[in-house]
PDB file of all heavy atoms in Angstrom:
ATOM      1  N   ILE A 138      20.869 -13.898 -13.315  1.00 88.00           N
ATOM      2  CA  ILE A 138      21.354 -14.588 -12.125  1.00 88.00           C
ATOM      3  C   ILE A 138      20.780 -13.952 -10.862  1.00 88.00           C
ATOM      4  O   ILE A 138      20.369 -14.646  -9.927  1.00 88.00           O
ATOM      5  CB  ILE A 138      22.897 -14.577 -12.092  1.00 88.00           C
ATOM      6  CG1 ILE A 138      23.455 -15.346 -13.285  1.00 88.00           C
ATOM      7  CG2 ILE A 138      23.426 -15.158 -10.779  1.00 88.00           C
ATOM      8  CD1 ILE A 138      24.957 -15.281 -13.419  1.00 88.00           C
ATOM      9  N   VAL A 139      20.734 -12.617 -10.835  1.00 89.00           N
ATOM     10  CA  VAL A 139      20.163 -11.903  -9.693  1.00 89.00           C
ATOM     11  C   VAL A 139      18.691 -12.281  -9.508  1.00 89.00           C
ATOM     12  O   VAL A 139      18.228 -12.507  -8.384  1.00 89.00           O
ATOM     13  CB  VAL A 139      20.314 -10.376  -9.884  1.00 89.00           C
ATOM     14  CG1 VAL A 139      19.484  -9.613  -8.857  1.00 89.00           C
ATOM     15  CG2 VAL A 139      21.784  -9.969  -9.767  1.00 89.00           C
ATOM     16  N   SER A 140      17.947 -12.379 -10.605  1.00 90.00           N
ATOM     17  CA  SER A 140      16.524 -12.748 -10.516  1.00 90.00           C
ATOM     18  C   SER A 140      16.347 -14.149  -9.957  1.00 90.00           C
ATOM     19  O   SER A 140      15.448 -14.391  -9.147  1.00 90.00           O
ATOM     20  CB  SER A 140      15.879 -12.652 -11.903  1.00 90.00           C
ATOM     21  OG  SER A 140      15.920 -11.334 -12.392  1.00 90.00           O
ATOM     22  N   ILE A 141      17.209 -15.069 -10.382  1.00 91.00           N
ATOM     23  CA  ILE A 141      17.119 -16.444  -9.885  1.00 91.00           C
ATOM     24  C   ILE A 141      17.377 -16.493  -8.385  1.00 91.00           C
ATOM     25  O   ILE A 141      16.702 -17.210  -7.640  1.00 91.00           O
ATOM     26  CB  ILE A 141      18.101 -17.350 -10.649  1.00 91.00           C
ATOM     27  CG1 ILE A 141      17.696 -17.452 -12.122  1.00 91.00           C
ATOM     28  CG2 ILE A 141      18.165 -18.742 -10.013  1.00 91.00           C
ATOM     29  CD1 ILE A 141      18.694 -18.188 -12.991  1.00 91.00           C
ATOM     30  N   LEU A 142      18.354 -15.708  -7.918  1.00 88.00           N
ATOM     31  CA  LEU A 142      18.666 -15.667  -6.492  1.00 88.00           C
ATOM     32  C   LEU A 142      17.546 -15.013  -5.691  1.00 88.00           C
ATOM     33  O   LEU A 142      17.267 -15.402  -4.552  1.00 88.00           O
ATOM     34  CB  LEU A 142      19.976 -14.907  -6.259  1.00 88.00           C
ATOM     35  CG  LEU A 142      21.251 -15.554  -6.825  1.00 88.00           C
ATOM     36  CD1 LEU A 142      22.433 -14.620  -6.647  1.00 88.00           C
ATOM     37  CD2 LEU A 142      21.510 -16.888  -6.143  1.00 88.00           C
ATOM     38  N   LEU A 143      16.886 -14.035  -6.291  1.00 89.00           N
ATOM     39  CA  LEU A 143      15.837 -13.298  -5.588  1.00 89.00           C
ATOM     40  C   LEU A 143      14.517 -14.054  -5.524  1.00 89.00           C
ATOM     41  O   LEU A 143      13.746 -13.883  -4.572  1.00 89.00           O
ATOM     42  CB  LEU A 143      15.591 -11.957  -6.284  1.00 89.00           C
ATOM     43  CG  LEU A 143      16.608 -10.844  -6.044  1.00 89.00           C
ATOM     44  CD1 LEU A 143      16.403  -9.728  -7.054  1.00 89.00           C
ATOM     45  CD2 LEU A 143      16.484 -10.289  -4.628  1.00 89.00           C
ATOM     46  N   LEU A 144      14.251 -14.886  -6.522  1.00 89.00           N
ATOM     47  CA  LEU A 144      12.928 -15.495  -6.679  1.00 89.00           C
ATOM     48  C   LEU A 144      12.421 -16.222  -5.427  1.00 89.00           C
ATOM     49  O   LEU A 144      11.282 -15.978  -4.999  1.00 89.00           O
ATOM     50  CB  LEU A 144      12.943 -16.454  -7.876  1.00 89.00           C
ATOM     51  CG  LEU A 144      11.596 -17.081  -8.243  1.00 89.00           C
ATOM     52  CD1 LEU A 144      10.582 -15.990  -8.598  1.00 89.00           C
ATOM     53  CD2 LEU A 144      11.760 -18.042  -9.413  1.00 89.00           C
ATOM     54  N   PRO A 145      13.212 -17.101  -4.777  1.00 89.00           N
ATOM     55  CA  PRO A 145      12.669 -17.801  -3.599  1.00 89.00           C
ATOM     56  C   PRO A 145      12.276 -16.858  -2.468  1.00 89.00           C
ATOM     57  O   PRO A 145      11.271 -17.081  -1.790  1.00 89.00           O
ATOM     58  CB  PRO A 145      13.828 -18.711  -3.167  1.00 89.00           C
ATOM     59  CG  PRO A 145      14.681 -18.856  -4.375  1.00 89.00           C
ATOM     60  CD  PRO A 145      14.571 -17.562  -5.099  1.00 89.00           C
ATOM     61  N   VAL A 146      13.061 -15.794  -2.274  1.00 88.00           N
ATOM     62  CA  VAL A 146      12.770 -14.853  -1.188  1.00 88.00           C
ATOM     63  C   VAL A 146      11.554 -13.997  -1.525  1.00 88.00           C
ATOM     64  O   VAL A 146      10.701 -13.732  -0.672  1.00 88.00           O
ATOM     65  CB  VAL A 146      13.991 -13.955  -0.897  1.00 88.00           C
ATOM     66  CG1 VAL A 146      13.696 -12.994   0.245  1.00 88.00           C
ATOM     67  CG2 VAL A 146      15.204 -14.804  -0.566  1.00 88.00           C
ATOM     68  N   LEU A 147      11.443 -13.567  -2.780  1.00 87.00           N
ATOM     69  CA  LEU A 147      10.332 -12.715  -3.177  1.00 87.00           C
ATOM     70  C   LEU A 147       9.004 -13.451  -3.139  1.00 87.00           C
ATOM     71  O   LEU A 147       7.946 -12.838  -2.968  1.00 87.00           O
ATOM     72  CB  LEU A 147      10.571 -12.162  -4.586  1.00 87.00           C
ATOM     73  CG  LEU A 147      11.767 -11.219  -4.762  1.00 87.00           C
ATOM     74  CD1 LEU A 147      11.844 -10.717  -6.192  1.00 87.00           C
ATOM     75  CD2 LEU A 147      11.692 -10.042  -3.799  1.00 87.00           C
ATOM     76  N   LEU A 148       9.042 -14.761  -3.296  1.00 86.00           N
ATOM     77  CA  LEU A 148       7.809 -15.546  -3.240  1.00 86.00           C
ATOM     78  C   LEU A 148       7.331 -15.765  -1.809  1.00 86.00           C
ATOM     79  O   LEU A 148       6.206 -16.223  -1.597  1.00 86.00           O
ATOM     80  CB  LEU A 148       8.017 -16.898  -3.925  1.00 86.00           C
ATOM     81  CG  LEU A 148       8.155 -16.870  -5.452  1.00 86.00           C
ATOM     82  CD1 LEU A 148       8.472 -18.250  -5.984  1.00 86.00           C
ATOM     83  CD2 LEU A 148       6.888 -16.326  -6.105  1.00 86.00           C
ATOM     84  N   SER A 149       8.171 -15.443  -0.849  1.00 83.00           N
ATOM     85  CA  SER A 149       7.799 -15.632   0.558  1.00 83.00           C
ATOM     86  C   SER A 149       6.737 -14.619   0.973  1.00 83.00           C
ATOM     87  O   SER A 149       6.798 -13.449   0.603  1.00 83.00           O
ATOM     88  CB  SER A 149       9.031 -15.497   1.456  1.00 83.00           C
ATOM     89  OG  SER A 149       8.668 -15.503   2.816  1.00 83.00           O
ATOM     90  N   ARG A 150       5.779 -15.075   1.750  1.00 79.00           N
ATOM     91  CA  ARG A 150       4.733 -14.200   2.294  1.00 79.00           C
ATOM     92  C   ARG A 150       5.043 -13.773   3.728  1.00 79.00           C
ATOM     93  O   ARG A 150       4.253 -13.055   4.330  1.00 79.00           O
ATOM     94  CB  ARG A 150       3.380 -14.917   2.262  1.00 79.00           C
ATOM     95  CG  ARG A 150       2.875 -15.256   0.873  1.00 79.00           C
ATOM     96  CD  ARG A 150       1.581 -16.039   0.946  1.00 79.00           C
ATOM     97  NE  ARG A 150       1.093 -16.441  -0.352  1.00 79.00           N
ATOM     98  CZ  ARG A 150       0.224 -15.736  -1.078  1.00 79.00           C
ATOM     99  NH1 ARG A 150      -0.230 -14.588  -0.614  1.00 79.00           N
ATOM    100  NH2 ARG A 150      -0.193 -16.172  -2.252  1.00 79.00           N
ATOM    101  N   ASN A 151       6.158 -14.222   4.265  1.00 83.00           N
ATOM    102  CA  ASN A 151       6.512 -13.952   5.658  1.00 83.00           C
ATOM    103  C   ASN A 151       7.207 -12.595   5.758  1.00 83.00           C
ATOM    104  O   ASN A 151       8.414 -12.476   5.521  1.00 83.00           O
ATOM    105  CB  ASN A 151       7.416 -15.069   6.189  1.00 83.00           C
ATOM    106  CG  ASN A 151       7.585 -15.005   7.693  1.00 83.00           C
ATOM    107  OD1 ASN A 151       7.386 -13.954   8.313  1.00 83.00           O
ATOM    108  ND2 ASN A 151       7.964 -16.124   8.292  1.00 83.00           N
ATOM    109  N   SER A 152       6.459 -11.558   6.102  1.00 82.00           N
ATOM    110  CA  SER A 152       7.026 -10.215   6.196  1.00 82.00           C
ATOM    111  C   SER A 152       8.019 -10.098   7.348  1.00 82.00           C
ATOM    112  O   SER A 152       8.987  -9.331   7.268  1.00 82.00           O
ATOM    113  CB  SER A 152       5.906  -9.181   6.357  1.00 82.00           C
ATOM    114  OG  SER A 152       5.149  -9.443   7.524  1.00 82.00           O
ATOM    115  N   THR A 153       7.806 -10.849   8.428  1.00 84.00           N
ATOM    116  CA  THR A 153       8.731 -10.815   9.561  1.00 84.00           C
ATOM    117  C   THR A 153      10.105 -11.330   9.151  1.00 84.00           C
ATOM    118  O   THR A 153      11.139 -10.775   9.543  1.00 84.00           O
ATOM    119  CB  THR A 153       8.188 -11.664  10.728  1.00 84.00           C
ATOM    120  OG1 THR A 153       6.902 -11.175  11.100  1.00 84.00           O
ATOM    121  CG2 THR A 153       9.123 -11.598  11.925  1.00 84.00           C
ATOM    122  N   PHE A 154      10.126 -12.388   8.346  1.00 88.00           N
ATOM    123  CA  PHE A 154      11.398 -12.926   7.846  1.00 88.00           C
ATOM    124  C   PHE A 154      12.135 -11.886   7.010  1.00 88.00           C
ATOM    125  O   PHE A 154      13.354 -11.717   7.127  1.00 88.00           O
ATOM    126  CB  PHE A 154      11.138 -14.190   7.031  1.00 88.00           C
ATOM    127  CG  PHE A 154      12.326 -14.652   6.231  1.00 88.00           C
ATOM    128  CD1 PHE A 154      13.397 -15.277   6.843  1.00 88.00           C
ATOM    129  CD2 PHE A 154      12.364 -14.448   4.858  1.00 88.00           C
ATOM    130  CE1 PHE A 154      14.496 -15.696   6.104  1.00 88.00           C
ATOM    131  CE2 PHE A 154      13.451 -14.857   4.108  1.00 88.00           C
ATOM    132  CZ  PHE A 154      14.526 -15.486   4.733  1.00 88.00           C
ATOM    133  N   ILE A 155      11.407 -11.171   6.152  1.00 89.00           N
ATOM    134  CA  ILE A 155      12.024 -10.169   5.289  1.00 89.00           C
ATOM    135  C   ILE A 155      12.591  -9.023   6.110  1.00 89.00           C
ATOM    136  O   ILE A 155      13.713  -8.541   5.862  1.00 89.00           O
ATOM    137  CB  ILE A 155      10.993  -9.655   4.270  1.00 89.00           C
ATOM    138  CG1 ILE A 155      10.619 -10.786   3.304  1.00 89.00           C
ATOM    139  CG2 ILE A 155      11.532  -8.453   3.499  1.00 89.00           C
ATOM    140  CD1 ILE A 155       9.513 -10.436   2.331  1.00 89.00           C
ATOM    141  N   VAL A 156      11.845  -8.560   7.118  1.00 89.00           N
ATOM    142  CA  VAL A 156      12.322  -7.481   7.982  1.00 89.00           C
ATOM    143  C   VAL A 156      13.557  -7.916   8.763  1.00 89.00           C
ATOM    144  O   VAL A 156      14.546  -7.182   8.860  1.00 89.00           O
ATOM    145  CB  VAL A 156      11.203  -7.029   8.943  1.00 89.00           C
ATOM    146  CG1 VAL A 156      11.758  -6.083  10.003  1.00 89.00           C
ATOM    147  CG2 VAL A 156      10.082  -6.353   8.165  1.00 89.00           C
TER     148      VAL A 156
END
Side-chain angles (χ1 to χ4, degrees):
I138 297 174
V139 168
S140 297
I141 295 173
L142 294 174
L143 283 166
L144 185 60
V146 181
L147 295 182
L148 289 175
S149 172
R150 296 176 183 267
N151 192 338
S152 60
T153 302
F154 168 75
I155 293 175
V156 170

